[in-house]
Structures are given as C-alpha cells and as structure tokens.
Amino acid sequence: MKKGAKGIGIFLAAAVLAGAVFGGCGMKNGGGQDGAVYRSVEEIKESGTINIGVFSDKNPFGYVDENGAYQGYDIYFGNRIAKDLGVDINYVSTEAASRIEYLQTGKVDLILANFTVTPERAEEVDFALPYMNVALGVVSPDSDVITDLADLGSEEEVIVISGTTAETYLIEHYPDIALQKYDAYAQAKTALENGSGAAWVNDNTEVLAYARQNAGYTVGIPSLGEQATIAPAVTKGNDALLTWLNEEITALYGEGFFHEAYEATLADTYGAAFVEDLVVEGDTAR
Amino acid sequence: MPDLGIEVLFAGRNMARMLGGLWVALRISLVSAALGIPSGILLGVVMRMKNPVTKILTRLYLEVVRILPQLVLLFLVFFGTTRMFGWNLEAETAAIIVFTFWGTAEMGDLVRGALAGIPAHQYESGAALGLTMPQIYRFIVIPQTLRRLIPLSINLVTRMIKTTSLVMMIGVVEVLKVTQQIIEANRVAHPQAAFGLYGAVFVFYFLACWPISLLAGYLEKKWS
C-alpha cells in the first residue's frame, strides 16, 4: 500500500525543491550580443552604462563617502572614462579576490580597483597603460633619517611586517640587515615610535601616509625595490575596449590628468611632494 | 572623551546607509528562509523514505551543502553559472539561490531528525485507523514535528541572517560591507570609529534577530 504513494511523493518533492531553488531567478541583461563574454565599446555606448569594478573600502583609492558616493583616485579616473565615452557609470563593489572573476565572466567591463600589474594576472586579463606606481618605502625618525639602506649601522635593526613584500625583498637584497618582524600594522607602528628600530619598510603608500599623519617622521626612501604599476584591466580579448582605453590614457597623459587626479584625491593623504613617485604620466612611468 | 565613532555614525547619510545594508541582509535571509523552510520540510519527509535512490540523492545533496563552504557556493552560482551557461544572475538573486539551497538542506536534516523522533507506534496506530500515509503525515506526524522544529528552525534563520555577511564577496553591499566602507572612509580623520560602528552593527543584528526569537517563544507556548 505504501510503495505507490512513495514514488509519486519523491517526484513531487523533487519538483517542488527544484522550483523553490530556481524560482525567482532574476536575469539581467549583460554580456555581448555576439556571444562573447565581454562588451565592445559600441555595445557599452549603446547600453548607456559602463560597469566598473572598484574597491569600496580602500581610502583614498576607491571608497564611499558619508553620502554614499564613490570617491578616490580610481574613481576620479573612472568618472573621466565614463564622461569621455558619454555613458553613465555603474560602480560595482569588488574584493581583491574576486576582481579577475568579474572580468572573466563579463560582469564588469573594466576593473579600476587598484589592480597591480603582475605577469600571472596578465595571463588572465588584459591590462591597459598604467596610471600609478607602487614600490616599497622607508620611513624613519627626523632625528636620523635613513636615505640609503647601506648607511645603516651594524647595530641598527629595520622594522617589517611579517609576510609582506617588504620582508621578502629585504631578505633577498639586504641579507645583512637585521629585521624586527611584527605581525600587525599597529605593533610595527608602536615599535617605530618606541625607537626599537632605525626605520620601517613597508608599501610606499603606507609609509607616506604614516609620515604624513605622524609628526617627527620622514620618508627618506620613497621608492625602493622593483617598481610595479597599477593599471586598468579589461576582459582578456576585449581588444576594442583595450585600444580605446590606451588611446584615452595617452590623451590623458598629454593633459596631465593624473597629476590633477593626484592633487584632487591623494595629496591629502600622501603629501603633494610625492606626486612623481606615485603617479604615472607618460614618460614618468618607470 | 575618546572618539568612538558616534559622530561618524550620524555623519551624512551613514546611519541610513547602514540601515539600508541591514535591509539587504534581511531581505536575502528572509526570502531564503521563506523558500528554504517549506522545501526543507518536504526534503525531510523524502529523506525518511526507505527508497535507496532517494536515500542516496538526498544524502549526496546534504553532504554537498555540508562540505562546500557557503562562499564557494556563492562563487559557483554567481560566477560559475555565467561561465557554464552564460546566465547573468543578479548578485542578490545568486545569494538567495545559495541561501535557499543551503537552508533547504539544513532544514531537511532537522526535519528528518524530528521525524525520526516520532515513535513508530503513532504511524502504526494511524494505519490501524485506516489512514493513508499522506493522511498520517498530515494529521499526526507533521503537527507534532512542527512544534519540535520551531527552536531549531529559528536557530537556522538567525544563522542565515548572520551568514549574509559573506555576500559582500559577490558585490552585494550589506550592512557589514557598508560598515567597512564607513570605517575606511574615516580611517585618517576618525581612526577609533571602528569600535562604535561595530557596536552599532551588533545592535542592528540583535534588533533583527530578537523579534524572531520572541516569535518562536510565542509559537512554542501557543502550540504546546
């Protein structure tokens, strides 16, 4: 008696389940009309909106102000791109780990999320011309500003945060320097303030911001080690958008746009003096 | 007095943005719960069947949900469906699918457990009265099971509300992401704001989950 009812029950339940799971799926228009994942410049213009993936919590590059508006160096650039394309912008809040996925699935047309160019990433996405430099920097007290790591006395130690590129770089290139390693930013900061190390090596944006906020400290070496650049990225193979972007960036170099962007968004945090260390504007790219 | 972020909380539209983020979190979790709990109840019934095919299938489903972290499920549904089928789901829809998929499995297992707790003689008595299997479930088993399930499913719903913080990974800006945005935007001007803002998040989550707990207590009393 029971058996017959069971078989029907299974299928009923399965159908209801499938319905519940897949019911209410909202689809949104996106992707290229020709079946490609990405959208060409024409398709973006036609739709009237460009989707740009940015950070929403990385002040001063991409963040959201108290009125809910996106702000920062990356955003300043994004706004200009949309203006020159003649379209509206839809900023998408991305995380460091999901940036490549967003491009590969065409969920954004462009990533402007402080994306550092690396050979590994260049295999997954296409980078346009760079608009910023990143390197290491060295901050030390005003009383004994370190301008060259070779000048360090044999007794002097250098502060680093464990697991950062600064640590790897120093071990590789300055094996004789004694390192004081800390796990967190706050500990490294306290160590420098207590005078337990002669200098602190970290990403140059971090040390510049630190010296700016804390009187009595100077960045003696604003660019150390291998220079890397930050560039816009598009979906691999989206040559139309890449070409348009490169032409756009070249034109912007010509008008000094990125110096203007630095002045408007980064100067408060890093100080006007370091514009040449951070900004890429045509020939200043190193 | 140390600046604990109260000023930041009330600056501009910050408070409204945080409440808006809370609404996003609640919308995702409550829609998922509304879909997942009924389907979970059905799943629990199916899991109790002695058919080997359903046993294997439901077992497989449950294990998949248990083994895969919700974050992986979110990436699979949001990015994976685009790669494989070219679907372009809204991030929030993807989140609701994942949370429903997860909630159904968890609820199914809770129901299976609750059903297993109904003594065999109740089924036998029902059958002796000439009730069919669906009638036995409808009039005897399900009402008793529901009562046992209330505290368990409330636990599940509040867990879903809190787990929505993961949806920031697929670009949905919910309350915790808004909070991080506010903290970062004020990193220089108000470095201590994080304490007050996370405190506010605590209060928000509490206010969201507390009425659900109250409702559960009320239903438990009413139905006992």
Side-chain angles (χ1 to χ4, degrees):
Chain A
M1 179 186 92
K2 292 182 199 164
K3 296 242 163 163
K6 258 186 220 163
I8 298 164
I10 296 160
F11 285 105
L12 266 181
V16 172
L17 260 183
V21 171
F22 290 104
C25 297
M27 295 284 190
K28 117 185 140 172
N29 291 325
Q33 289 157 358
D34 53 359
V37 175
Y38 49 80
R39 302 194 300 169
S40 68
V41 178
E42 286 314 310
E43 282 166 331
I44 293 168
K45 281 184 178 167
E46 243 169 61
S47 79
T49 306
I50 185 168
N51 300 314
I52 305 183
V54 294
F55 282 136
S56 65
D57 58 357
K58 197 161 163 62
N59 188 2
F61 299 102
Y63 65 100
V64 180
D65 70 12
E66 71 270 17
N67 295 313
Y70 278 90
Q71 299 289 352
Y73 185 70
D74 294 341
I75 310 298
Y76 198 88
F77 182 28
N79 290 347
R80 178 62 190 261
I81 288 174
K83 186 179 153 229
D84 291 344
L85 271 174
V87 294
D88 295 333
I89 316 167
N90 172 32
Y91 282 119
V92 178
S93 162
T94 60
E95 305 296 319
S98 62
R99 289 177 296 191
I100 290 179
E101 280 293 322
Y102 268 99
L103 284 178
Q104 289 185 337
T105 53
K107 287 181 188 293
V108 297
D109 300 304
L110 173 67
I111 288 278
L112 287 179
N114 216 244
F115 212 5
T116 308
V117 181
T118 66
E120 295 80 21
R121 286 173 182 165
E123 285 173 17
E124 309 277 336
V125 300
D126 282 338
F127 285 105
L129 293 170
Y131 62 101
M132 205 182 128
N133 279 313
V134 283
L136 300 175
V138 183
V139 63
S140 39
D142 284 350
S143 52
D144 182 14
V145 177
I146 308 291
T147 52
D148 187 341
L149 286 179
D151 295 346
L152 281 171
S154 56
E155 302 288 289
E156 289 182 306
E157 296 190 342
V158 164
I159 298 164
V160 292
I161 301 174
S162 304
T164 56
T165 42
E167 184 192 10
T168 354
Y169 176 80
L170 288 177
I171 291 173
E172 193 179 328
H173 296 270
Y174 293 88
D176 297 336
I177 294 179
L179 300 180
Q180 271 180 29
K181 300 178 188 178
Y182 296 93
D183 286 328
Y185 181 90
Q187 294 168 347
K189 179 174 182 280
T190 314
L192 182 71
E193 283 161 5
N194 290 343
S196 23
W200 179 11
V201 184
N202 201 350
D203 288 354
N204 61 357
T205 48
E206 290 287 344
V207 295
L208 287 171
Y210 175 85
R212 182 100 176 141
Q213 289 156 31
N214 297 275
Y217 295 90
T218 303
V219 176
I221 311 174
S223 292
L224 174 74
E226 296 101 17
Q227 283 280 351
T229 55
I230 290 192
V234 300
T235 311
K236 191 119 198 119
N238 193 352
D239 296 331
L241 183 58
L242 188 67
T243 310
W244 185 90
L245 267 176
N246 283 338
E247 283 167 8
E248 166 84 355
I249 294 168
T250 311
L252 293 179
Y253 285 162
E255 63 178 73
F257 173 81
F258 294 104
H259 279 75
E260 179 195 318
Y262 182 95
E263 195 55 43
T265 57
L266 300 184
D268 275 352
T269 313
Y270 302 124
F274 295 101
V275 60
E276 299 307 330
D277 292 294
L278 295 177
V279 161
V280 175
E281 193 99 75
D283 293 333
T284 64
R286 281 165 290 183
Chain B
M1 187 191 140
D3 178 7
L4 296 178
I6 304 302
E7 202 183 312
V8 174
L9 183 61
F10 292 103
R13 291 186 54 248
N14 282 354
M15 187 71 169
R17 286 171 60 211
M18 284 177 76
L19 288 171
L22 182 68
W23 171 235
V24 172
L26 283 178
R27 198 164 57 202
I28 291 173
S29 45
L30 295 184
V31 170
S32 306
L35 293 171
I37 288 178
S39 358
I41 291 174
L42 279 172
L43 177 70
V45 175
V46 173
M47 284 170 98
R48 283 284 291 160
M49 291 174 174
K50 291 189 182 74
N51 184 318
V53 178
T54 58
K55 268 209 168 14
I56 291 172
L57 286 180
T58 52
R59 185 80 206 170
L60 200 71
Y61 172 37
L62 187 65
E63 289 301 327
V64 163
V65 176
R66 274 191 186 150
I67 291 167
L68 287 181
Q70 280 90 358
L71 189 57
V72 174
L73 286 171
L74 282 170
F75 268 64
L76 273 178
V77 173
F78 186 57
F79 295 115
T81 55
T82 311
R83 277 172 188 266
M84 285 164 62
F85 313 116
W87 300 352
N88 204 352
L89 297 177
E90 294 277 2
E92 211 176 304
T93 312
I96 289 174
I97 292 174
V98 167
F99 277 78
T100 306
F101 184 72
W102 170 48
T104 301
E106 293 248 349
M107 190 66 194
D109 204 34
L110 295 178
V111 170
R112 186 196 54 76
L115 284 174
I118 306 278
H121 68 76
Q122 299 215 13
Y123 292 87
E124 288 158 6
S125 313
L129 288 171
L131 297 179
T132 61
M133 205 56 190
Q135 286 174 326
I136 292 175
Y137 272 102
R138 165 73 184 80
F139 295 108
I140 300 174
V141 180
I142 291 177
Q144 295 186 71
T145 315
L146 277 184
R147 205 178 314 140
R148 295 179 190 197
L149 277 175
I150 292 167
L152 302 174
S153 42
I154 291 312
N155 201 359
L156 179 62
V157 172
T158 53
R159 213 144 45 88
M160 281 170 106
I161 293 176
K162 287 176 284 188
T163 314
T164 50
S165 56
L166 288 177
V167 301
M168 70 169 76
M169 291 304 296
I170 57 169
V172 180
V173 180
E174 46 65 69
V175 60
L176 210 59
K177 186 70 197 176
V178 175
T179 310
Q180 288 176 358
Q181 290 175 349
I182 297 174
I183 291 169
E184 266 301 306
N186 293 284
R187 172 167 105 109
V188 179
H190 303 272
Q192 306 301 322
F195 184 83
L197 291 169
Y198 280 126
V201 172
F202 166 79
V203 174
F204 287 165
Y205 274 128
F206 178 80
L207 290 179
C209 295
W210 179 238
I212 297 172
S213 293
L214 284 183
L215 177 71
Y218 168 76
L219 287 180
E220 244 181 299
K221 264 201 194 123
K222 194 183 162 200
W223 288 356
S224 65

